[in-house]
Amino acid sequence: MFTNQFFNKKPIHAWLLCLFFVFGFFADRNYANVPAAVVSAHPLATAAGTKILNEGGNAFDAAVAVSAVLAVVEPYASGLGGGGFWLLHNATNARDIMIDGREIAPLEASEHMYLNRDGQPIPGKSLNGPIAAGIPGTPAALVHLTQNFGQLTLAQNLKPAIQLARDGFKVDQRFARTLRYHEKKLAQYPDTAKIFLPDGKLPVAGDWFRQPQLAGTLNEIAKSGMNGFYHGSVAKELVHSVRKAGGVWREQDLYHYKIVAREPVQFEYRNTRITTASLPSAGGLTLAQAFNILEYLPLDKDDSDNQAHLITEILRLTYKDRIELLGDSDFDQVPAKKLLSKGYAREQAALIDPEQAGKSILKQSIVNESVETTHFSIIDKAGNRVAATMSINTFFGSGFVAGNTGILLNNEMDDFSKGRNIPNIFGLYGSHANMIAPGKRPLSSMSPTFVENDKGILIVGTPGGSRIISMLFLVILDYINNNQMDPQKLVEMPRFHHQYLPDFIQVEPDAFDPGWIASLQAKGHEVRIMSQKWGNMQLILFDKENQQTRAASDPRGLSDTHY
Ligand code: DON
């Protein structure tokens, strides 16, 4: 299905990023002699996670260290001013849990806050400046992870990040490129410019980059936990600077922020258990629906064109439900039980014509290609696992650094639906279930995932906005149906995507041969080759047969062409 030139053309960079180390033997009753592994989008974060494991921390401690270091070295992708989902497997009791550190809408937020009097969206308002920022959840998640699951102290887990923020690190090519592309955005707010355009100049690769203000805030969290961010001087400065620049945060918003420990979505497909993100991520429900439909529409292994057609139609149907039904289930009723039922999957499967593309109801929708988020995966010697996807939404989030906190705020409010006919930056529409309300979490696509069967375990996830879910669908299918046990091939595999609206198949450039595209067109699909590849998948594969752990990093993450 995915045969093409892609594998031969791309350089393998994963060695840069994946550090492995054997720790001895698993305490876990199921596995023995499994090396621990950390894989992330940045070598400094991977190194920090590894160091924490070496110092006696477990996977959850390492997750805190990696999350915090990513906030420092990839400030354009995630950070303390954002949120995320940390999917945990606790080897001691074999329990899976999802720490939901998603941002919440501030108390002064309202359904129409981004619309003008005519009900039309005010261009850029849900994306730029502090008005676009939800109340961050990442600091709370790091405190919770350490206090409830870790073996080390918060100060130990945050130390690598504090050092890198305080002492600095060398600007890498990717960071330099990102800064260059977004220079205008960074120049808009003085506290942002002070950090990212020091002395008014754009940092270039090889420059030394320090964030002393961020080091100070990290120190406060290391010292005082939740109080270091959500109460006291940092909270005051956050609120003061946000309100001064037109935002609506109140101190109460910060005081009341809470992570939620949620049951992940768990389902089976062909003797494989998939554990993934629950609401407010759409990932779990959408993936479960997709695999359930496949039970009634088996893919023909030898017919790659038809596989692509069926996968597209499944994505069309499941993303339609996402648009129409999904949102924060603490606020709106979501018919999750029905969506997960086999009966519903059978009905949906019956809607798919094997020879003809379905139709989405016509609406205009853009596909934006410049956004960023980050994912990492960890397994420790005891068999504890973490898959975490974290975000500030688009590159450099809202572009607003809050006063002297050094914290760049997210623009995750854009993930809410602002009205039935108003798409977000990913071209996603939404229903009432995803409309803005105070304290509500915007619907997400971030989907940290575990996949387990007799052959092995995958710990996987990726950035990519609305495409996150289809990327995972393709990778999990390749692992299960094609028995693909090479982690590098899994992360490198070429990608296509459909999300109901816009009604065309998005295809990575230089990824599929013309015959494959023509066969989809013959079935009535519009196929558009996008200008850039997408995703930055980080994957660990534990191979049960030979008791080996291998990790792979998406080469797109280091290339010029990904977003
Ligand atoms: O939560 C979401 O679905 C988005 N805010 C994630 C953004 C993202 O993945 C951008 N990355 N390329």
Side-chain angles (χ1 to χ4, degrees), residues 77 83-85 102-103 280-282 322 370-374 389-395 411-412 414-415 424-426 428 442-447 462-469 471 534-536 562-563:
F85 302 117
R102 182 70 162 161
E103 298 88 340
S281 170
R322 174 210 166 106
S370 184
V371 283
E372 190 54 299
T373 289
T374 198
T389 313
M390 306 172 300
S391 186
I392 50 173
N393 202 22
T394 65
F395 273 111
N411 56 359
E412 221 74 67
D414 187 67
D415 277 346
N424 72 8
I425 187 106
F426 304 103
L428 288 168
L443 186 63
S444 174
S445 303
M446 293 186 290
S447 309
T462 179
S466 54
R467 293 159 171 161
I468 290 173
I469 304 169
M471 282 186 256
W534 56 83
N536 189 3
H562 108 296
Y563 85 94

Short mmCIF file of all heavy atoms in Angstrom, two decimals, residues 77 83-85 102-103 280-282 322 370-374 389-395 411-412 414-415 424-426 428 442-447 462-469 471 534-536 562-563, ligand 1:
data_model
loop_
_atom_site.label_atom_id
_atom_site.label_comp_id
_atom_site.label_asym_id
_atom_site.label_seq_id
_atom_site.Cartn_x
_atom_site.Cartn_y
_atom_site.Cartn_z
N ALA A 77 6.72 25.16 20.31
CA ALA A 77 5.82 24.02 20.14
C ALA A 77 4.98 23.70 21.38
O ALA A 77 3.83 23.28 21.26
CB ALA A 77 6.63 22.78 19.76
N GLY A 83 -0.78 23.30 27.30
CA GLY A 83 -1.39 22.13 27.93
C GLY A 83 -1.05 20.86 27.18
O GLY A 83 -0.24 20.88 26.25
N GLY A 84 -1.67 19.76 27.59
CA GLY A 84 -1.40 18.50 26.90
C GLY A 84 -2.06 17.34 27.60
O GLY A 84 -2.80 17.49 28.58
N PHE A 85 -1.77 16.16 27.05
CA PHE A 85 -2.28 14.91 27.62
C PHE A 85 -1.11 13.97 27.87
O PHE A 85 -0.31 13.74 26.96
CB PHE A 85 -3.28 14.25 26.67
CG PHE A 85 -4.46 15.11 26.33
CD1 PHE A 85 -4.67 15.52 25.02
CD2 PHE A 85 -5.35 15.52 27.31
CE1 PHE A 85 -5.76 16.32 24.70
CE2 PHE A 85 -6.44 16.32 27.00
CZ PHE A 85 -6.64 16.73 25.69
N ARG A 102 -5.22 19.79 29.78
CA ARG A 102 -5.68 20.66 28.70
C ARG A 102 -6.01 22.05 29.27
O ARG A 102 -6.49 22.17 30.40
CB ARG A 102 -6.93 20.04 28.09
CG ARG A 102 -7.54 20.78 26.91
CD ARG A 102 -6.70 20.71 25.68
NE ARG A 102 -7.46 21.03 24.47
CZ ARG A 102 -6.88 21.39 23.33
NH1 ARG A 102 -5.57 21.47 23.23
NH2 ARG A 102 -7.62 21.66 22.27
N GLU A 103 -5.79 23.08 28.47
CA GLU A 103 -6.17 24.43 28.89
C GLU A 103 -7.68 24.52 29.08
O GLU A 103 -8.43 23.79 28.45
CB GLU A 103 -5.76 25.47 27.83
CG GLU A 103 -4.28 25.56 27.56
CD GLU A 103 -3.80 24.60 26.49
OE1 GLU A 103 -4.50 23.60 26.20
OE2 GLU A 103 -2.71 24.84 25.94
N PRO A 280 -11.29 15.47 26.66
CA PRO A 280 -11.57 16.36 25.54
C PRO A 280 -10.68 16.17 24.31
O PRO A 280 -10.63 17.09 23.49
CB PRO A 280 -11.36 17.74 26.16
CG PRO A 280 -10.28 17.53 27.17
CD PRO A 280 -10.55 16.17 27.74
N SER A 281 -10.01 15.04 24.17
CA SER A 281 -9.39 14.76 22.88
C SER A 281 -10.38 13.94 22.08
O SER A 281 -10.98 12.99 22.59
CB SER A 281 -8.09 13.98 23.03
OG SER A 281 -7.67 13.55 21.75
N ALA A 282 -10.48 14.29 20.81
CA ALA A 282 -11.34 13.52 19.91
C ALA A 282 -10.65 12.21 19.51
O ALA A 282 -11.28 11.32 18.96
CB ALA A 282 -11.63 14.34 18.66
N ARG A 322 -17.05 13.69 14.71
CA ARG A 322 -16.26 14.59 15.55
C ARG A 322 -16.81 16.01 15.45
O ARG A 322 -17.05 16.68 16.46
CB ARG A 322 -14.79 14.57 15.07
CG ARG A 322 -13.93 15.58 15.79
CD ARG A 322 -12.79 16.09 14.94
NE ARG A 322 -12.25 17.27 15.59
CZ ARG A 322 -11.10 17.34 16.24
NH1 ARG A 322 -10.31 16.31 16.24
NH2 ARG A 322 -10.73 18.43 16.84
N SER A 370 0.92 25.70 8.92
CA SER A 370 2.03 26.16 9.74
C SER A 370 1.68 26.15 11.22
O SER A 370 1.33 27.16 11.80
CB SER A 370 2.44 27.56 9.32
OG SER A 370 3.56 27.96 10.06
N VAL A 371 1.75 24.99 11.80
CA VAL A 371 1.39 24.84 13.22
C VAL A 371 2.34 23.85 13.87
O VAL A 371 3.01 23.09 13.20
CB VAL A 371 -0.06 24.33 13.37
CG1 VAL A 371 -1.05 25.46 13.14
CG2 VAL A 371 -0.33 23.21 12.42
N GLU A 372 2.39 23.88 15.20
CA GLU A 372 3.37 23.03 15.87
C GLU A 372 2.90 22.59 17.24
O GLU A 372 2.11 23.25 17.90
CB GLU A 372 4.72 23.78 15.97
CG GLU A 372 5.88 22.96 16.42
CD GLU A 372 6.12 21.69 15.63
OE1 GLU A 372 5.23 20.83 15.60
OE2 GLU A 372 7.21 21.56 15.06
N THR A 373 3.38 21.47 17.67
CA THR A 373 3.04 20.79 18.93
C THR A 373 4.18 19.81 19.14
O THR A 373 5.09 19.73 18.32
CB THR A 373 1.65 20.10 18.78
OG1 THR A 373 0.64 21.11 18.75
CG2 THR A 373 1.31 19.12 19.88
N THR A 374 4.17 19.01 20.18
CA THR A 374 5.28 18.06 20.36
C THR A 374 4.81 16.79 21.06
O THR A 374 3.81 16.82 21.79
CB THR A 374 6.44 18.74 21.14
OG1 THR A 374 7.64 17.98 20.94
CG2 THR A 374 6.15 18.84 22.63
N THR A 389 1.55 14.15 24.56
CA THR A 389 1.50 15.15 23.49
C THR A 389 1.12 16.48 24.13
O THR A 389 0.15 16.55 24.89
CB THR A 389 0.48 14.76 22.40
OG1 THR A 389 0.66 13.40 22.05
CG2 THR A 389 0.64 15.63 21.17
N MET A 390 1.92 17.50 23.84
CA MET A 390 1.75 18.80 24.51
C MET A 390 1.76 19.91 23.45
O MET A 390 2.41 19.76 22.43
CB MET A 390 2.90 19.05 25.48
CG MET A 390 3.08 17.92 26.49
SD MET A 390 4.57 18.15 27.46
CE MET A 390 5.84 18.17 26.22
N SER A 391 1.11 21.00 23.79
CA SER A 391 0.96 22.02 22.75
C SER A 391 0.79 23.41 23.33
O SER A 391 0.37 23.58 24.47
CB SER A 391 -0.28 21.68 21.92
OG SER A 391 -0.41 22.54 20.82
N ILE A 392 1.14 24.41 22.50
CA ILE A 392 0.61 25.76 22.72
C ILE A 392 -0.21 26.16 21.47
O ILE A 392 -0.47 27.31 21.23
CB ILE A 392 1.72 26.79 23.04
CG1 ILE A 392 2.86 26.73 22.03
CG2 ILE A 392 2.25 26.61 24.45
CD1 ILE A 392 3.91 27.85 22.20
N ASN A 393 -0.54 25.15 20.67
CA ASN A 393 -1.31 25.23 19.42
C ASN A 393 -0.44 25.65 18.25
O ASN A 393 0.38 24.86 17.81
CB ASN A 393 -2.55 26.10 19.58
CG ASN A 393 -3.60 25.75 18.51
OD1 ASN A 393 -3.57 24.65 17.97
ND2 ASN A 393 -4.52 26.65 18.22
N THR A 394 -0.58 26.86 17.71
CA THR A 394 0.22 27.17 16.52
C THR A 394 1.64 27.57 16.94
O THR A 394 1.91 27.76 18.12
CB THR A 394 -0.42 28.31 15.70
OG1 THR A 394 -0.39 29.50 16.49
CG2 THR A 394 -1.85 28.00 15.32
N PHE A 395 2.53 27.70 15.96
CA PHE A 395 3.91 28.09 16.26
C PHE A 395 3.95 29.31 17.17
O PHE A 395 3.35 30.34 16.88
CB PHE A 395 4.65 28.45 14.96
CG PHE A 395 5.29 27.28 14.28
CD1 PHE A 395 4.80 26.81 13.08
CD2 PHE A 395 6.38 26.65 14.86
CE1 PHE A 395 5.40 25.73 12.44
CE2 PHE A 395 6.99 25.58 14.22
CZ PHE A 395 6.50 25.11 13.02
N ASN A 411 -2.46 29.64 22.16
CA ASN A 411 -3.67 30.18 21.53
C ASN A 411 -4.65 29.03 21.27
O ASN A 411 -5.25 28.90 20.19
CB ASN A 411 -3.36 30.96 20.24
CG ASN A 411 -2.59 30.15 19.23
OD1 ASN A 411 -2.26 28.99 19.46
ND2 ASN A 411 -2.31 30.76 18.09
N GLU A 412 -4.81 28.25 22.31
CA GLU A 412 -5.63 27.04 22.22
C GLU A 412 -7.13 27.36 22.18
O GLU A 412 -7.93 26.48 21.84
CB GLU A 412 -5.30 26.17 23.44
CG GLU A 412 -5.19 24.70 23.19
CD GLU A 412 -3.94 24.26 22.47
OE1 GLU A 412 -2.83 24.38 23.02
OE2 GLU A 412 -4.08 23.78 21.34
N ASP A 414 -8.53 28.82 20.02
CA ASP A 414 -8.94 28.64 18.62
C ASP A 414 -9.46 27.22 18.35
O ASP A 414 -10.15 26.99 17.35
CB ASP A 414 -7.77 28.94 17.68
CG ASP A 414 -8.19 28.94 16.22
OD1 ASP A 414 -8.98 29.84 15.85
OD2 ASP A 414 -7.79 28.02 15.48
N ASP A 415 -9.12 26.28 19.23
CA ASP A 415 -9.63 24.91 19.05
C ASP A 415 -11.12 24.79 19.37
O ASP A 415 -11.75 23.80 19.03
CB ASP A 415 -8.85 23.91 19.92
CG ASP A 415 -7.55 23.47 19.25
OD1 ASP A 415 -7.38 23.71 18.05
OD2 ASP A 415 -6.70 22.89 19.95
N ASN A 424 -11.79 26.26 12.40
CA ASN A 424 -10.60 26.74 13.12
C ASN A 424 -9.39 26.67 12.20
O ASN A 424 -9.52 26.41 11.00
CB ASN A 424 -10.42 25.97 14.45
CG ASN A 424 -9.96 24.53 14.24
OD1 ASN A 424 -9.64 24.11 13.13
ND2 ASN A 424 -9.93 23.78 15.32
N ILE A 425 -8.22 26.89 12.77
CA ILE A 425 -7.00 26.96 11.95
C ILE A 425 -6.74 25.65 11.19
O ILE A 425 -6.11 25.64 10.15
CB ILE A 425 -5.77 27.36 12.80
CG1 ILE A 425 -4.52 27.62 11.94
CG2 ILE A 425 -5.42 26.30 13.83
CD1 ILE A 425 -4.18 29.04 11.82
N PHE A 426 -7.26 24.54 11.71
CA PHE A 426 -7.08 23.25 11.04
C PHE A 426 -8.19 22.94 10.06
O PHE A 426 -8.27 21.83 9.54
CB PHE A 426 -6.97 22.13 12.09
CG PHE A 426 -5.87 22.38 13.07
CD1 PHE A 426 -6.16 22.84 14.34
CD2 PHE A 426 -4.55 22.20 12.71
CE1 PHE A 426 -5.13 23.11 15.25
CE2 PHE A 426 -3.53 22.48 13.60
CZ PHE A 426 -3.82 22.93 14.87
N LEU A 428 -11.22 22.67 10.90
CA LEU A 428 -12.20 21.84 11.60
C LEU A 428 -13.41 22.67 12.00
O LEU A 428 -13.27 23.76 12.56
CB LEU A 428 -11.58 21.26 12.88
CG LEU A 428 -10.55 20.15 12.72
CD1 LEU A 428 -9.84 19.91 14.05
CD2 LEU A 428 -11.20 18.86 12.22
N PRO A 442 -11.25 23.05 25.31
CA PRO A 442 -11.49 22.94 23.87
C PRO A 442 -11.20 21.53 23.38
O PRO A 442 -10.29 20.86 23.88
CB PRO A 442 -10.50 23.94 23.26
CG PRO A 442 -9.48 24.22 24.30
CD PRO A 442 -10.09 23.91 25.64
N LEU A 443 -11.96 21.08 22.40
CA LEU A 443 -11.77 19.75 21.82
C LEU A 443 -10.40 19.70 21.14
O LEU A 443 -10.00 20.63 20.45
CB LEU A 443 -12.86 19.48 20.79
CG LEU A 443 -12.91 18.08 20.19
CD1 LEU A 443 -13.19 17.03 21.27
CD2 LEU A 443 -13.97 18.01 19.10
N SER A 444 -9.70 18.61 21.37
CA SER A 444 -8.34 18.46 20.86
C SER A 444 -8.24 17.26 19.94
O SER A 444 -9.14 16.40 19.92
CB SER A 444 -7.40 18.27 22.06
OG SER A 444 -6.09 17.99 21.63
N SER A 445 -7.15 17.20 19.20
CA SER A 445 -6.84 15.99 18.41
C SER A 445 -5.66 15.24 19.00
O SER A 445 -5.30 14.17 18.50
CB SER A 445 -6.50 16.37 16.97
OG SER A 445 -7.53 17.10 16.38
N MET A 446 -5.02 15.81 20.01
CA MET A 446 -3.79 15.19 20.53
C MET A 446 -4.10 13.81 21.10
O MET A 446 -5.01 13.67 21.92
CB MET A 446 -3.17 16.08 21.59
CG MET A 446 -2.66 17.40 21.03
SD MET A 446 -1.79 18.40 22.24
CE MET A 446 -3.10 18.90 23.31
N SER A 447 -3.34 12.82 20.67
CA SER A 447 -3.70 11.43 20.96
C SER A 447 -2.51 10.55 21.33
O SER A 447 -2.11 9.67 20.56
CB SER A 447 -4.39 10.82 19.75
OG SER A 447 -5.43 11.64 19.30
N THR A 462 2.08 12.06 17.99
CA THR A 462 2.64 13.04 17.05
C THR A 462 1.90 14.36 17.15
O THR A 462 0.73 14.38 17.53
CB THR A 462 2.54 12.52 15.59
OG1 THR A 462 3.06 13.51 14.70
CG2 THR A 462 1.09 12.23 15.19
N PRO A 463 2.56 15.47 16.80
CA PRO A 463 1.80 16.70 16.54
C PRO A 463 1.14 16.60 15.17
O PRO A 463 1.34 15.61 14.45
CB PRO A 463 2.88 17.77 16.53
CG PRO A 463 4.14 17.08 16.20
CD PRO A 463 3.99 15.66 16.70
N GLY A 464 0.38 17.62 14.80
CA GLY A 464 -0.20 17.65 13.45
C GLY A 464 -1.65 18.07 13.43
O GLY A 464 -2.33 17.87 12.42
N GLY A 465 -2.13 18.62 14.54
CA GLY A 465 -3.50 19.13 14.57
C GLY A 465 -4.50 18.05 14.18
O GLY A 465 -4.41 16.91 14.65
N SER A 466 -5.41 18.40 13.28
CA SER A 466 -6.48 17.46 12.90
C SER A 466 -5.92 16.20 12.27
O SER A 466 -6.58 15.16 12.23
CB SER A 466 -7.42 18.15 11.93
OG SER A 466 -6.69 18.67 10.83
N ARG A 467 -4.69 16.26 11.74
CA ARG A 467 -4.13 15.08 11.07
C ARG A 467 -3.52 14.08 12.05
O ARG A 467 -3.10 12.99 11.64
CB ARG A 467 -3.04 15.53 10.09
CG ARG A 467 -3.58 16.33 8.91
CD ARG A 467 -2.46 17.14 8.32
NE ARG A 467 -2.80 17.79 7.07
CZ ARG A 467 -2.11 18.82 6.58
NH1 ARG A 467 -1.08 19.31 7.24
NH2 ARG A 467 -2.45 19.36 5.43
N ILE A 468 -3.46 14.44 13.32
CA ILE A 468 -2.86 13.53 14.31
C ILE A 468 -3.59 12.18 14.27
O ILE A 468 -2.98 11.11 14.27
CB ILE A 468 -2.96 14.14 15.73
CG1 ILE A 468 -2.03 15.33 15.88
CG2 ILE A 468 -2.67 13.07 16.81
CD1 ILE A 468 -2.18 16.11 17.19
N ILE A 469 -4.91 12.25 14.22
CA ILE A 469 -5.71 11.02 14.35
C ILE A 469 -5.52 10.12 13.13
O ILE A 469 -5.36 8.91 13.26
CB ILE A 469 -7.19 11.38 14.60
CG1 ILE A 469 -7.29 12.28 15.85
CG2 ILE A 469 -8.03 10.12 14.79
CD1 ILE A 469 -8.65 12.93 16.06
N MET A 471 -2.92 10.08 11.18
CA MET A 471 -1.54 9.56 11.21
C MET A 471 -1.47 8.31 12.08
O MET A 471 -0.84 7.31 11.73
CB MET A 471 -0.57 10.61 11.77
CG MET A 471 -0.19 11.68 10.78
SD MET A 471 1.08 12.75 11.49
CE MET A 471 0.13 14.19 11.89
N TRP A 534 3.71 16.31 6.92
CA TRP A 534 3.22 16.70 8.24
C TRP A 534 3.54 15.65 9.30
O TRP A 534 3.75 14.49 9.02
CB TRP A 534 1.74 17.00 8.20
CG TRP A 534 0.84 15.90 7.69
CD1 TRP A 534 0.36 14.84 8.39
CD2 TRP A 534 0.31 15.78 6.37
NE1 TRP A 534 -0.45 14.07 7.60
CE2 TRP A 534 -0.51 14.62 6.35
CE3 TRP A 534 0.41 16.53 5.19
CZ2 TRP A 534 -1.19 14.20 5.21
CZ3 TRP A 534 -0.28 16.11 4.07
CH2 TRP A 534 -1.06 14.97 4.09
N GLY A 535 3.55 16.15 10.55
CA GLY A 535 3.76 15.27 11.70
C GLY A 535 5.21 15.28 12.16
O GLY A 535 6.12 15.73 11.46
N ASN A 536 5.39 14.80 13.36
CA ASN A 536 6.73 14.63 13.95
C ASN A 536 6.59 13.51 14.98
O ASN A 536 6.65 13.73 16.18
CB ASN A 536 7.19 15.95 14.58
CG ASN A 536 8.65 15.89 15.00
OD1 ASN A 536 9.33 14.88 14.77
ND2 ASN A 536 9.12 16.95 15.63
N HIS A 562 8.61 19.76 6.98
CA HIS A 562 7.48 19.34 7.79
C HIS A 562 6.82 20.56 8.44
O HIS A 562 7.36 21.65 8.43
CB HIS A 562 7.95 18.36 8.88
CG HIS A 562 7.94 18.96 10.24
ND1 HIS A 562 8.75 20.00 10.58
CD2 HIS A 562 7.20 18.70 11.33
CE1 HIS A 562 8.50 20.34 11.82
NE2 HIS A 562 7.57 19.57 12.30
N TYR A 563 5.63 20.35 8.94
CA TYR A 563 5.08 21.38 9.80
C TYR A 563 4.50 20.71 11.02
O TYR A 563 4.28 19.50 11.03
CB TYR A 563 4.00 22.21 9.12
CG TYR A 563 2.64 21.60 9.17
CD1 TYR A 563 1.76 21.94 10.19
CD2 TYR A 563 2.27 20.65 8.25
CE1 TYR A 563 0.52 21.35 10.24
CE2 TYR A 563 1.03 20.07 8.31
CZ TYR A 563 0.15 20.41 9.30
OH TYR A 563 -1.08 19.83 9.35
O1 DON B 1 -5.17 20.18 20.55
C1 DON B 1 -5.10 20.17 19.32
O2 DON B 1 -5.65 19.34 18.63
C2 DON B 1 -4.24 21.20 18.65
N1 DON B 1 -4.17 22.39 19.44
C3 DON B 1 -2.90 20.60 18.41
C4 DON B 1 -2.05 21.47 17.56
C5 DON B 1 -1.06 20.73 16.78
O3 DON B 1 -0.92 19.54 16.85
C6 DON B 1 -0.24 21.53 15.87
N2 DON B 1 0.82 20.73 15.33
N3 DON B 1 1.28 20.56 14.31
#
